[in-house]
Amino acid sequence: DNYNFKLAFFNQNKINSPLIIKNDLNKFLADPFLIKYKKEIYCFAEEYDQLKKRGHIVCINLSDKELSKKIVVSENFHLSFPFIFKFKDNYFMCPESSNISEIRLYKSVSFPFKWKFYKTIIKNINTVDNIIFKKNNLWWLFTNMDRSNCKDYSHDLSIFYSKHGPLTHKWKPHPKNPIKINSSESRNAGIIFDKKKLIRVSQEQGFDNYGENIDFHEIKSLNTKNYVEKIFKNKSYLRIRKFLNNPNIHHYSKTDNNIIVDFKSS
C-alpha cells in the first residue's frame, strides 16, 4: 500500500512554522517518537521501503540542521512503531514485529544510533503498536491484538502487566481483555506523559482509509482489575490539523513543547 506519510515537527508555541521532514525516494516515514537526550531532540520512526516492501527503524537528529538520519534497527522482516522506554539507566526499544508473531526488545548499546536485539518477551502473539511504561509500581504493556488471524489490528486494545519489570516474559493479561473492541479508538497512536497526566493517543480508522485521524484519552484508572479512559479535545492537535490543511494524521508524539505527527499527503 502506498500510504505516503510524511513527518511534521512543531513547537507548541509556534504551530505555524513546522519543520517538514522529506522522504527519500521510494520510502516514507511514519510512527514518529520523540526522545530528548542531552539537550538534543531525536526522532525514531519507521522508514518504509517500497521496493523491499518492509519497514526499518531510523533515528533523525532534529537538533541538527542537516537532519542527519541513520538506520538503527533493520531485520529481514517488517518493523515499525519504535516505542522506546528507559529502565535502570538503559534505553530499550519495542518495535512492532507482528511479521514474526513476537514482541521483542532491542537495547541501546550507544544511544541513539546503536542498538542490538535483546530478547523476545512474548512469543506466538499477533500484536502491533506496543507501548510499555511503569505506573503504580507495575509495568504495563498496551498492544493491539489480532485474535482472528485476519491481519486486522485496528479494533482490539489489550493490556498486559508485569510485577517483574519490563524485561521479563512473565506478562499477565488484564482480566478485562480485550479492553476495547472498536476500530474508531482502539489502535495505539502514541502515549503522552504530561505533567501528572497519562494520555493514550488512538487512531481513528476511516471507511477504507487507514490512519484518518487521532483521538486523545486521559487514563483515569489503571490497575489489575480495571481500566478507565476518557476522551478529550487536544487544542494543539486541532491547530496542527488545521494548519496542515486537515490531512490524515495517524500518530502523535510530544516531549516538552515539541510535537511530531505523521500525515498523509495525497
Side-chain angles (χ1 to χ4, degrees), residues 52-64:
K52 288 184 178 166
K53 296 270 184 281
R54 65 172 184 254
H56 49 245
I57 305 304
V58 295
C59 176
I60 305 161
N61 184 348
L62 296 172
S63 306
D64 159 22

Side-chain angles (χ1 to χ4, degrees), residues 22-266:
K22 299 256 187 329
N23 291 329
D24 292 351
L25 187 66
N26 297 320
K27 291 180 177 146
F28 69 78
L29 294 161
D31 296 348
F33 285 96
L34 294 177
I35 298 266
K36 194 174 179 187
Y37 178 78
K38 294 186 176 169
K39 295 187 179 169
E40 308 266 276
I41 294 171
Y42 295 96
C43 166
F44 290 84
E46 167 199 355
E47 182 174 58
Y48 188 82
D49 185 323
Q50 280 155 344
L51 304 179
K52 288 184 178 166
K53 296 270 184 281
R54 65 172 184 254
H56 49 245
I57 305 304
V58 295
C59 176
I60 305 161
N61 184 348
L62 296 172
S63 306
D64 159 22
K65 290 268 189 295
E66 306 287 297
L67 294 180
S68 50
K69 180 176 75 188
K70 248 188 173 156
I71 296 178
V72 292
V73 182
S74 179
E75 298 284 7
N76 58 4
F77 49 85
H78 176 71
L79 293 170
S80 63
F81 205 86
F83 183 78
I84 291 174
F85 64 92
K86 204 173 178 184
F87 178 65
K88 293 191 172 167
D89 287 337
N90 286 303
Y91 283 98
F92 291 89
M93 181 193 295
C94 183
E96 186 263 292
S97 55
S98 61
N99 266 179
I100 54 164
S101 307
E102 283 185 9
I103 298 181
R104 16 170 62 207
L105 299 179
Y106 292 78
K107 185 179 181 181
S108 167
V109 188
S110 166
F111 195 84
F113 295 120
K114 209 168 174 205
W115 297 77
K116 67 169 189 202
F117 172 66
Y118 182 72
K119 76 186 282 192
T120 295
I121 53 172
I122 306 183
K123 282 190 167 143
N124 306 320
I125 188 168
N126 284 324
T127 64
V128 298
D129 302 354
N130 314 299
I131 287 174
I132 296 177
F133 60 93
K134 189 180 185 184
K135 186 160 173 67
N136 305 336
N137 289 324
L138 291 172
W139 280 85
W140 300 90
L141 164 61
F142 282 38
T143 192
N144 298 117
M145 215 157 171
D146 166 28
R147 294 169 194 270
S148 56
N149 285 333
C150 62
K151 294 276 177 249
D152 175 10
Y153 297 100
S154 296
H155 67 269
D156 176 320
L157 173 66
S158 290
I159 294 177
F160 295 80
Y161 63 92
S162 154
K163 295 175 177 168
H164 310 276
L167 311 182
T168 179
H169 51 259
K170 296 180 182 166
W171 288 91
K172 288 193 166 149
H174 196 283
K176 293 252 170 99
N177 279 351
I179 292 282
K180 280 209 157 162
I181 34 172
N182 78 41
S183 59
S184 63
E185 48 183 64
S186 292
R187 187 152 177 179
N188 292 326
I191 191 153
I192 306 163
F193 304 97
D194 207 16
K195 299 183 185 92
K196 292 273 161 88
K197 287 184 184 162
L198 186 57
I199 295 158
R200 187 180 74 91
V201 190
S202 70
Q203 286 182 29
E204 227 177 84
Q205 305 303 324
F207 178 71
D208 211 15
N209 182 14
Y210 171 71
E212 186 167 283
N213 195 6
I214 54 177
D215 293 306
F216 297 82
H217 314 262
E218 185 183 340
I219 296 174
K220 294 288 196 183
S221 169
L222 172 61
N223 55 48
T224 54
K225 295 192 172 59
N226 245 319
Y227 179 75
V228 180
E229 62 176 29
K230 189 168 185 273
I231 198 162
F232 70 95
K233 291 229 183 315
N234 178 329
K235 293 193 177 89
S236 298
Y237 172 66
L238 295 173
R239 283 165 58 213
I240 284 172
R241 203 171 145 79
K242 203 171 165 185
F243 178 79
L244 290 174
N245 209 4
N246 295 331
N248 295 155
I249 292 178
H250 111 302
H251 190 95
Y252 184 100
S253 179
K254 178 174 188 271
T255 173
D256 300 336
N257 277 329
N258 302 295
I259 296 169
I260 197 161
V261 298
D262 59 9
F263 69 101
K264 212 185 311 181
S265 44
S266 44

